[in-house]
């Protein structure tokens, strides 16, 4: 956690606006470094206290999440769906170490919600890291939805392709085979198929249990991808983002 914690605290320091903020910031860092039961209790109270700045909640949630404290789950999921990509990345790192079985379900809900595709990059990467039962179906469903011509979210699709290759599940073969026809995804899709024992020049056989249907191929995704991590939770996820 040490490197990620330093990156977080260095970033947060630029958000301080008053001497009182600096005092609160230093106290938070002291609690995090001591890592005592009493310190974790104080951090947990900060997560539910009123009128606390976002940066303070973020530090508290990160420290508790990396310590495996389940009280950090809901704040971290909110941050995973936040408008700022760097906060999404921080939350994903802590959620990956939290060990809460709800994490994969929340990440899958965020990744597969078509209204949240612009903010799905870190949930997709988290699903691949977790290797949970929800991971492969969610990544396949998300990738299939993005295999359309001129889709602007090719980075999310690329994360799906890479994650499916790492997970090594042959249910991903049809979606990966289609991804080979997309120039921005072709190299990664071919590499992922090779990891699954399928080569680009060999026609893929239908795999029982594959989710989704056949998808059309298209040209390279065009247009700049929008920033990841906006507030507002996905429908059905049970969470709502901060504004």
């Amino acid at each position: 956690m040490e490197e990620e914690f330093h990156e977080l605290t260095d970033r947060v320091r630029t958000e301080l606006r008053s001497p009182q903020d600096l005092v609160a910031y230093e106290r938070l860092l002291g609690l995090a470094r001591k890592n005592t039961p009493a310190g974790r209790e104080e951090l947990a109270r900060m997560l539910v206290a009123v009128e606390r700045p976002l940066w303070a909640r973020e530090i508290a949630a990160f420290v508790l999440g990396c310590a495996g404290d389940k009280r950090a789950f809901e704040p971290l999921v909110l941050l995973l769906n936040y408008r700022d990509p760097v906060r999404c990345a921080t939350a994903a790192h802590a959620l990956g170490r939290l060990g809460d079985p709800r994490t994969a379900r929340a990440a899958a809900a965020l990744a597969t919600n078509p209204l949240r595709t612009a903010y799905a990059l870190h949930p997709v990467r988290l699903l691949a890291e977790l290797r949970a039962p929800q991971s492969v179906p969610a990544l396949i469903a998300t990738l299939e939805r993005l295999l359309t011509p001129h889709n602007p979210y090719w980075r999310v699709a690329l994360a799906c392709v890479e994650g499916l290759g790492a997970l090594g599940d042959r249910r991903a073969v049809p979606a990966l085979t289609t991804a080979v026809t997309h120039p921005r995804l072709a190299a990664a899709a071919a590499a992922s198929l090779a990891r699954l024992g399928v080569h680009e020049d060999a026609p893929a056989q239908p795999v029982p249990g594959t989710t989704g249907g056949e998808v059309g191929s298209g040209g390279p995704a065009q247009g700049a991808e929008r920033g990841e991590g906006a507030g507002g939770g996905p429908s059905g996820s049970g969470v709502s983002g901060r504004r």
Side-chain angles (χ1 to χ4, degrees), residues 1-2 4-6 8-9 25 27-37 39-44 46-47 55-73 75-76 79 90-91 93-95 97-98:
M1 169 183 107
E2 198 64 27
E4 291 77 12
F5 182 68
H6 283 311
L8 167 60
T9 55
Y25 169 84
R27 176 163 180 75
L28 270 175
L29 266 57
L31 292 172
R33 290 177 177 131
K34 287 179 181 177
N35 194 27
T36 62
R40 288 192 292 273
E41 287 298 322
E42 186 168 342
L43 291 173
M46 186 167 298
L47 294 179
W55 59 260
R57 296 178 189 274
E58 183 182 9
I59 291 175
F62 179 85
V63 172
L64 291 172
C66 290
D69 192 315
K70 303 297 192 293
R71 291 173 291 186
F73 172 74
L76 287 172
L79 289 167
T90 297
H93 179 85
L95 283 166
R97 284 140 192 82
L98 179 59

Side-chain angles (χ1 to χ4, degrees), residues 158-197:
L158 179 61
C160 291
V161 166
E162 293 171 342
L164 288 168
L167 291 170
D169 192 310
R170 288 185 62 85
R171 287 177 292 173
V173 169
L176 290 173
T177 300
T178 303
V180 170
T181 67
H182 291 248
R184 289 189 175 186
L185 306 177
S192 290
L193 284 168
R195 295 180 75 172
L196 297 175

Side-chain angles (χ1 to χ4, degrees), residues 2 7 20 36 38 40 63 75 95 119 121 128 134 138 152-153 169 191 193 196 198 203 207 224 243:
E2 198 64 27
E7 290 177 359
Q20 292 78 13
T36 62
R40 288 192 292 273
V63 172
L95 283 166
Y119 317 112
L121 180 61
Q134 297 89 344
Y153 304 117
D169 192 310
L193 284 168
L196 297 175
V198 178
V207 180
R243 299 294 180 192

